[in-house]
Amino acid sequence: MVARDHPEAIRSLTLGEPPVMPLLKTTPEGNDLLTTYITTSIVPSSEAFKQGNDEEGVRRFANGVLGEGSYEKLPPPVQKRLMDNVQELKGERLSRDLFPPTTCEDVQKVKAPTLLIDGELSPKMFHLINDMLERCLPSVERAKIPAASHQMEVENPQAFNETVLAFIARH
C-alpha cells in the first residue's frame, strides 16, 4: 500500500505472495478460493482470538492458509515467531478493513521494479494473486522458490535469500 500511495518513496519492491485478496474477487476461481480462505482461516482464527485463545487463533490461521495440520508441522522456532507476533495477527483478523480495496489500476501506480516471489508448493490463491499482480505491475520480475510453500523464507532460506539479494543487486 505504501508503494501504491507513495511510489516516490520506493526504489524497488519485493513481494513474497502478498495477501492482496481483493484481486482474487475479479475471477470466478479466485473468488471461490477467497471464500474458502475466509471460511477456513479468517473466521475460525477470528473466533478463537475473540474468545481469548491466542494460540488456537494462530493455529487456525496457519492451518487455514497452509492446510490442515500444517501448524503442528512447523518447527518450534517458527511457531514461537508466530506467537511472538500474535498481536499483529489479532489486529489484522479483528480489523473491519481486513482487505482494503485494491484494483489493477491501483497496482499500476507502483513504478518501482518489483520482484514477485512464489513458493513452489504454496496454496493456489497466492499463485493467482501473483499472476494478477504480474499482469498489472509495469516493471515486474517473478521467481519461484523450489520445495517451499508460503513460508518460503523458512522452508528454503538459501534459495529465497539468493533470489532476493540478486534482485536487490540489480535494482
Side-chain angles (χ1 to χ4, degrees):
M1 294 180 77
V2 170
R4 178 192 72 190
D5 296 343
H6 303 284
E8 73 284 353
I10 306 299
R11 189 177 343 186
S12 69
L13 183 63
T14 299
L15 300 172
E17 300 179 342
V20 188
M21 300 308 180
L23 291 179
L24 285 175
K25 295 179 184 180
T26 63
T27 68
E29 180 182 24
N31 195 50
D32 290 346
L33 290 170
L34 179 59
T35 299
T36 299
Y37 170 66
I38 289 169
T39 59
T40 62
S41 181
I42 300 300
V43 171
S45 62
S46 297
E47 288 172 358
F49 289 137
K50 286 177 187 173
Q51 295 169 4
N53 191 338
D54 290 353
E55 187 167 6
E56 183 64 14
V58 170
R59 187 186 70 73
R60 288 180 180 183
F61 172 73
N63 286 343
V65 172
L66 302 172
E68 195 58 42
S70 295
Y71 177 76
E72 293 75 10
K73 294 176 187 171
L74 294 172
V78 175
Q79 289 181 0
K80 181 182 181 320
R81 187 181 74 199
L82 289 171
M83 288 306 298
D84 287 347
N85 291 290
V86 72
Q87 293 306 318
E88 177 187 356
L89 183 60
K90 282 171 63 172
E92 289 174 2
R93 294 295 77 87
L94 301 176
S95 169
R96 292 177 187 250
D97 194 21
L98 181 58
F99 303 129
T102 305
T103 65
C104 188
E105 291 76 26
D106 292 328
V107 173
Q108 288 171 340
K109 294 175 184 174
V110 177
K111 302 301 181 199
T114 302
L115 174 63
L116 295 175
I117 307 176
D118 295 277
E120 177 184 23
L121 307 174
S122 291
K124 188 171 189 172
M125 71 175 177
F126 292 114
H127 295 286
L128 280 177
I129 291 169
N130 274 357
D131 289 346
M132 296 165 139
L133 288 170
E134 185 174 26
R135 286 193 291 274
C136 299
L137 285 163
S139 176
V140 65
E141 297 177 31
R142 194 154 175 187
K144 185 175 288 188
I145 305 302
S149 185
H150 188 59
Q151 291 265 347
M152 60 194 103
E153 72 281 1
V154 173
E155 295 169 2
N156 192 343
Q158 181 174 348
F160 181 85
N161 290 339
E162 288 172 0
T163 300
V164 172
L165 292 172
F167 176 78
I168 290 171
R170 289 192 304 278
H171 300 283

